[in-house]
Amino acid sequence: MIRFVFLSSYNHRVVFASLIVVGCSKPVFFASVLKRVNPRPDAVGCLVQLKIHQGLESCSTMENLKQYHSQIIRLGLSDDNNAMGRVIKFCAISTHGDLGYALKVFSTLPQPDTFIYNTIFRGYLQVHLPKDCISFYLQMLHTSVPPNKFTFPPVIRAFTFDNAVEQGRQVHAQILKFGYHLDSFSQNNLIHMYVSFKRLEEARMVFDKMPQQNDVSWTTLISGYSQSGYIEDARKLFDLMPEKNPASWNAMIAAYVQSNCFHEAFLLFDQMQRSNRFKLDKFIAASMLSACTGLGALKQGEWIHDNIKKTGIEVDPKLAATIIDMYCKCGSVEKAFETFNELPSKGISSWNCMIGGFAMHGKGEEADELFKRMENESKTPPDYITFVNLLSACAHSGLVKEGHYYFQRMVEVHSISPGMEHYGCMVDLLGRAGMLNEAMKLINAMPMDPDARVMGALVGACKIHGNTELGEKIGKKAIELEPYNSGRYVLLANIYARASKWEDVANVRKLMNDRGVKKSRGFSLIEIGGVVNEFVAGGRSHPDSQEIYAKVKEMLACIRSIGYAPEAESVSHDISEEEEMEKALFYHSEKLAIAFGLLKSKAGETLRITKNLRVCKDCHEASKLISKYFGREIIVRDRSRFHHFKQGVCSCNDYW
DNA sequence: ATAGGGTTAG
């Protein structure tokens, strides 16, 4: 039995804490204690908070809270901001809370204080209702409740969220008016706000005016520059930063990764490691895995994964997705699947990445099977992306029946209405399978206007199936929908080239040039001995280029002996001289990369190549024959999928 | 209370 002698001490916080420690948690008991001691409001608040804190570990927390709430009311403290503030805090912010209940309590308060307003702001932000947050803020100002330094961060966030540039500036003015120009939290949030408005000059001005920038200020501005495409400015700032921490290193590494500057990301990572001050953490690991994914650098990716395991970095769902994606996109679905199966708990993105991985590798049946597993045994319901990946898997494997089935099932069973991407997959699926009219019909039946990618899928299908007429019509539309995308022009030019309409080919090229659209330069990467080598068509900057060109010649001579004939189709302009045509074909970056791979790897080793564009028909044919002649497996990652060349056959069954 | 990582059709 607890003795009440303590209560005379008036140190209620300690007393209540002790009561809870000894385990007397019945609300009724507390009520009786409270009645006897005529507690101060903050003591009651403390009790509620402690109880709630304890309650967080059990399940029925809202219920518990409501019990304490009624206790407090019975004690006559229903107008008390201190006690009610804590009730509201729990309801508005904690994961098991209930914002609606918080608002109900709020509405009963005659004079809610600053803390309570601040709490409501945070609650609204958490559920992504910035507009409501803003209207409460206005109400706060109208009722002359003075803001404090905790007021502004969430309010700034709300304006950021709402993309309200003008109002955001007004809040900035209010912050200065209320004298919070020295508060780093408010200032950092302002930097973040201007960054997300892409007002980098204004963000920089806030930063420069701060008397004392901290890590967060620096890191926010660094990522801000990089997200707006000012990667060099980001780097300048990073170099200026006096005391770097892991977050700032990662911000810069991630900046490079997001700008596709993977080599720079690796350089910076090496620099960080050499400085010996920071270890790999889960964020840096994730960024570096993405860098590996971008380069198709399997070895380096494995190295990062090994380090994650060795150092015991927790593999949360995001990191798991990154690892799985890395293995898939670096050509090793097997490793990805192994990792996937070993995950103790699988988040939605783990499933999605894995299904997407099977899709990319043309493993439609595996994707199908995995999806069934997801429906049956996992508590994670499939989402929008799951179906994009699943339908894409069907498209890449020619699973027309399954594709139709899932397109329907998505709506009927999972209540997901098809979006642009799903239509894109279906058009691709039907188009590849030669059902061009049905694909066209589906486009016409879409509830939204098809975008360039949906149109592009149909154009691609027209190219495969040699339908020049439809390809021309849709190809032109696709160009007008995305006049700055060079790929659209190239596709139409390819269609004309296939039909030997050289004049039209020339016209498309001219149109493209007149509009100043530059064809994106193709390149191929191959990793040898932990070094990623890059090749561009006709490039001679590689130190071994002489040797490599000789090897290309030899390689092509070899496969000629088993039936290789260069394909004119892959040249998008008319070249009458056979020799010229062959030159253009022979020095495609992919062939250079393969030749280099043959030179530098041991007999029988698999060659893994990553390309930024799609494999051309000639290289595809050549790769098949090389795999046969030289007894090598060649795995090529395309812009859209993988090709596993083995003994003269490609895993895509020439269906790409 | 503020900063750093992932999955989306061609």
Side-chain angles (χ1 to χ4, degrees), chain A residues 352 355-356 358-360 364 367-368 371 383-411 416-430 432 442:
Chain A
N352 290 351
I355 292 173
F358 283 137
M360 247 177 322
D368 184 66
F371 178 77
D383 70 358
Y384 190 96
I385 296 172
T386 314
F387 282 100
V388 173
N389 290 347
L390 182 61
L391 292 174
S392 147
C394 295
H396 282 298
S397 300
L399 303 173
V400 178
K401 209 178 70 207
E402 288 81 351
H404 271 126
Y405 169 74
Y406 284 127
F407 192 66
Q408 212 177 349
R409 189 169 176 82
M410 169 172 84
V411 182
I416 296 169
S417 53
M420 195 67 87
E421 293 92 338
H422 301 117
Y423 281 105
C425 291
M426 288 306 285
V427 169
D428 187 35
L429 173 80
L430 297 168
R432 279 176 204 268
L442 185 67

Side-chain angles (χ1 to χ4, degrees), chain A residues 550-571:
Chain A
K551 188 71 185 178
V552 172
K553 242 183 160 175
E554 181 207 319
M555 187 174 85
L556 294 177
C558 292
I559 58 173
R560 262 176 202 272
S561 72
I562 55 169
Y564 169 66
E567 301 234 11
E569 252 174 49
S570 300
V571 186

Side-chain angles (χ1 to χ4, degrees), chain A residues 290-306:
Chain A
S290 293
C292 297
T293 304
L295 292 171
L298 181 61
K299 281 259 160 56
Q300 280 92 334
E302 275 174 337
W303 185 85
I304 303 276
H305 188 199
D306 284 345

Side-chain angles (χ1 to χ4, degrees), chain A residues 446-461:
Chain A
M446 283 170 64
M448 67 288 265
D449 289 330
D451 68 0
R453 295 152 116 188
V454 175
M455 293 300 206
L458 185 54
V459 182

